[in-house]
Amino acid sequence: YMGLYRRGSRGAEVAQIQTRLRTLGFLDGAVDSTFGGNTEEAVKLFQSVNSLPPSGSVDANTWAALFPENPKVPDPPIFGKPLNYRCLALTGSFETSTIFPDCFAGITGDFDRMGLSFGALQWNLGRETLQKLMSRMNGDHAGVLQNIFADRYPTLLDVLGQSIEGQLSWARSIQNSRFELGEPWKTCFDSLGRTEEFQAIQLASAADYFARALDMAKAYGLFSERAAALMFDIAVQNGSISGVAKQQILNDFATLDATLSTTDLEVAKMRIVANRRADASGSAAEDVRSRKLTIANGTGTVHGDFFDLSGQFNLTLRPATPR
């Protein structure tokens, strides 16, 4: 758990750390759930005062000093979720550049001419993928949807019944020139993305990606949760692995040290898959590489955010047991 929470970390636990640091007089900045430079300096000061190594990261010892009444670092709620949910949350965090659970409510405007993109995998109006999720939500949980959108619920239903051109026109009418949604629409969608009901719909809509991921992991002799997460991210971001890349991967596998432990071999294979898939990604190669190697290695930085797959998503080298 070294460096469990550090610069780039986000979420409810970061807000908890910031609140305690403010209460103790070490932090002057806002409680914004983002572990930035101010929080890092506050942690260093707290650690120095409490005879801890001033790393600026909140590890288990620093957590215990901050919260002596609850010294054990709490498991995030995602730890109890099934593997497909945890894979979706990780890739969704990459796709939306917002850390779980915010990724399920990630929303962007018409910068890509898709009108409106929403959710962990940015389902959108332009490709007519978001309409399916919204219609299913209304069919299965109309009361929840009506409660969230309130007096804008009739407008939402009217939009869902319009042509694609009408839907795109509506989406553009509720955002500014920087493609930011106006209120109260932004808050409504944010609330929707955080509901268990809509998260379940997102999970169901990502089922094909997950099934493909498990098949790909099996095809390359990979067994772990991290391998499932790696292949899920490939399925979402890249679609597949070409025949040429596959042969390169298998050739690289053949050069690996046969005396490696089971887990070391798993990691070595995932690094090969990560690099070969990135090499085949053209101008996007380095973005693909940072995502895939973060998964293969278990930690890394993507889009400026630090990821610890074990500590944040409970994605480990345990055998994958989908449920």
Side-chain angles (χ1 to χ4, degrees):
Y1 282 98
M2 288 301 292
L4 186 64
Y5 296 103
R6 49 164 281 180
R7 185 190 283 257
S9 298
R10 296 184 187 178
E13 290 79 15
V14 174
Q16 187 178 350
I17 291 166
Q18 291 173 325
T19 300
R20 179 54 61 94
L21 288 169
R22 277 178 59 89
T23 299
L24 296 174
F26 291 97
L27 179 66
D28 293 328
V31 174
D32 60 3
S33 303
T34 299
F35 202 124
N38 287 342
T39 303
E40 184 177 68
E41 290 306 313
V43 170
K44 286 182 179 179
L45 182 57
F46 172 84
Q47 289 169 325
S48 296
V49 168
N50 287 273
S51 301
L52 293 165
S55 64
S57 301
V58 178
D59 59 11
N61 291 332
T62 302
W63 181 281
L66 276 168
F67 304 102
E69 70 280 10
N70 291 298
K72 182 180 181 297
V73 181
D75 287 339
I78 193 174
F79 275 37
K81 297 290 187 179
L83 178 59
N84 57 345
Y85 183 101
R86 288 178 278 133
C87 289
L88 177 58
L90 175 64
T91 288
S93 296
F94 294 157
E95 288 286 306
T96 63
S97 295
T98 55
I99 300 297
F100 170 85
D102 296 346
C103 61
F104 282 102
I107 191 159
T108 52
D110 194 41
F111 76 98
D112 55 359
R113 307 303 294 168
M114 292 295 107
L116 181 69
S117 303
F118 181 55
L121 301 189
Q122 293 291 275
W123 292 275
N124 58 72
L125 296 177
R127 294 191 178 90
E128 300 187 67
T129 52
L130 179 56
Q131 294 91 323
K132 295 176 183 176
L133 273 68
M134 296 300 293
S135 294
R136 180 171 175 183
M137 182 70 187
N138 190 56
D140 294 349
H141 308 287
V144 175
L145 198 62
Q146 185 172 7
N147 184 56
I148 291 171
F149 284 86
D151 57 356
R152 280 164 177 74
Y153 177 67
T155 300
L156 184 67
L157 294 189
D158 178 66
V159 169
L160 289 175
Q162 293 179 19
S163 66
I164 181 64
E165 292 79 11
Q167 293 168 344
L168 290 172
S169 178
W170 166 79
R172 290 162 185 156
S173 76
I174 63 169
Q175 52 192 276
N176 62 25
S177 59
R178 297 187 299 276
F179 310 119
E180 298 167 337
L181 253 67
E183 294 293 0
W185 290 105
K186 184 180 185 302
T187 296
C188 290
F189 276 102
D190 185 68
S191 298
L192 174 63
R194 296 173 188 277
T195 64
E196 290 185 4
E197 293 85 354
F198 196 71
Q199 287 183 16
I201 288 172
Q202 292 185 57
L203 193 61
S205 297
D208 287 347
Y209 289 123
F210 188 65
R212 199 185 317 164
L214 294 180
D215 287 343
M216 285 196 291
K218 184 177 180 181
Y220 288 91
L222 298 169
F223 66 85
S224 66
E225 293 181 333
R226 285 220 312 260
L230 174 63
M231 294 307 189
F232 182 85
D233 199 63
I234 288 173
V236 170
Q237 187 185 29
N238 315 109
S240 61
I241 298 173
S242 71
V244 171
K246 180 177 182 178
Q247 191 55 56
Q248 291 172 328
I249 290 168
L250 295 178
N251 290 343
D252 290 347
F253 280 7
T255 69
L256 290 172
D257 183 353
T259 66
L260 287 173
S261 69
T262 300
T263 53
D264 285 348
L265 183 61
E266 179 83 351
V267 172
K269 286 182 173 181
M270 285 192 287
R271 287 173 178 158
I272 289 169
V273 172
N275 281 310
R276 286 299 188 182
R277 189 60 191 84
D279 291 342
S281 300
S283 60
E286 293 318 303
D287 179 60
V288 173
R289 196 181 315 278
S290 69
R291 284 171 61 154
K292 305 307 182 280
L293 282 177
T294 289
I295 302 174
N297 293 327
T299 61
T301 300
V302 180
H303 305 148
D305 291 321
F306 174 74
F307 288 86
D308 174 352
L309 270 70
S310 175
Q312 292 173 297
F313 298 90
N314 197 24
L315 288 166
T316 70
L317 294 175
R318 291 186 299 257
T321 52
R323 55 182 175 87

